[in-house]
Amino acid sequence: QLVMAILLITSIFSWWYIFIKVATIRRAEKESEEFENAFWSGGDLNKLYDGVTAGRRKPQGMASIFEAGFKEFIRHKQQTRMESRMDVSDVMEGSRRAMRAAYNRELDDLDAHLPFLASVGSVSPYIGLFGTVWGIMNSFRGLSSVAQATLSQVAPGIAEALVATAIGLFAAIPAVIAYNRFASSVDRLSVRYESFMEEFTNILQRKS
């Protein structure tokens, strides 16, 4: 019963994280689509930057990468203008590092809770199997004090023990499916972010 309680609690947390990740990834995909449409509409980058930074909420996703890179680009441009020299490589390297740092932060947010789902998917069946083995052992141990063992005496204990394996699979299967789906979605978003970084770097280099 202790094993089954652990598996039920694990399953509840697993489903809770699944709902969180569904909302998080959908929001990230929607925001990336909206930002790409605004970015490639041909508008002024300064106005786009002002729009991104004007909101009360901190920019997220692709907007965060753009905000970090363009902010560093402006800062380096102002610094080089004050020093009466212009080193394009320094400007681009600073912007690239800022975008890479923002990219890593965004991926960390997207990858949150995925290790837990992976652990649940890989460990829960074995925990359930352990509960089943333990329950069957107790059932047979209880027969040691019985003069004549019958199926009606053994069956309830074994059936209860097998429930632990079923609960382990109930916890593991959704976690594995969700992990694979979320990992694929995160990989697609990371490719979009990296592609945007490369394209935005080329645009900044031309502006330099």
Side-chain angles (χ1 to χ4, degrees):
Q1 290 177 348
L2 177 62
V3 170
M4 288 190 286
I6 292 173
L7 289 172
L8 284 174
I9 294 172
T10 302
S11 179
I12 291 172
F13 275 102
S14 176
W15 279 104
W16 174 251
Y17 288 143
I18 287 172
F19 289 133
I20 291 176
K21 293 307 296 181
V22 167
T24 300
I25 291 178
R26 282 182 178 176
R27 185 181 69 245
E29 291 175 343
K30 180 181 178 182
E31 289 177 348
S32 295
E33 190 73 26
E34 292 175 351
F35 179 80
E36 281 186 320
N37 292 335
F39 181 83
W40 295 112
S41 62
D44 186 8
L45 292 181
N46 291 289
K47 291 182 179 179
L48 181 61
Y49 174 78
D50 292 338
V52 168
T53 57
R56 294 182 179 180
R57 192 164 65 93
K58 185 180 181 296
Q60 293 181 333
M62 201 173 290
S64 175
I65 297 172
F66 165 79
E67 187 262 345
F70 199 67
K71 180 179 180 180
E72 192 70 13
F73 175 78
I74 294 174
R75 190 180 70 82
H76 276 282
K77 289 270 287 186
Q78 292 174 346
Q79 182 179 354
T80 53
R81 191 178 296 114
M82 291 174 59
E83 295 174 358
S84 300
R85 65 184 181 85
M86 183 67 176
D87 193 341
V88 176
S89 61
D90 290 342
V91 175
M92 298 312 304
E93 186 61 29
S95 299
R96 192 177 289 110
R97 283 198 302 266
M99 286 191 289
R100 178 59 60 176
Y103 166 82
N104 291 332
R105 287 193 298 270
E106 294 302 320
L107 278 193
D108 285 341
D109 291 339
L110 291 174
D111 284 333
H113 309 313
L114 288 186
F116 176 81
L117 293 177
S119 299
V120 171
S122 60
V123 174
S124 292
Y126 297 104
I127 297 177
L129 183 60
F130 171 77
T132 297
V133 172
W134 190 267
I136 293 174
M137 287 173 57
N138 285 334
S139 296
F140 283 109
R141 190 180 294 116
L143 295 176
S144 61
S145 58
V146 179
Q148 184 177 1
T150 61
L151 182 61
S152 61
Q153 293 173 324
V154 181
I158 294 178
E160 183 180 355
L162 290 173
V163 172
T165 299
I167 296 176
L169 294 174
F170 176 77
I173 293 173
V176 171
I177 294 174
Y179 173 80
N180 291 332
R181 182 178 179 85
F182 295 151
S184 177
S185 298
V186 171
D187 287 341
R188 288 198 300 270
L189 281 170
S190 67
V191 170
R192 290 181 70 175
Y193 290 168
E194 288 183 335
S195 299
F196 171 76
M197 288 168 55
E198 293 298 324
E199 293 167 342
F200 187 44
T201 298
N202 294 334
I203 293 173
L204 292 181
Q205 193 163 6
R206 289 195 294 268
K207 288 177 68 71
S208 298

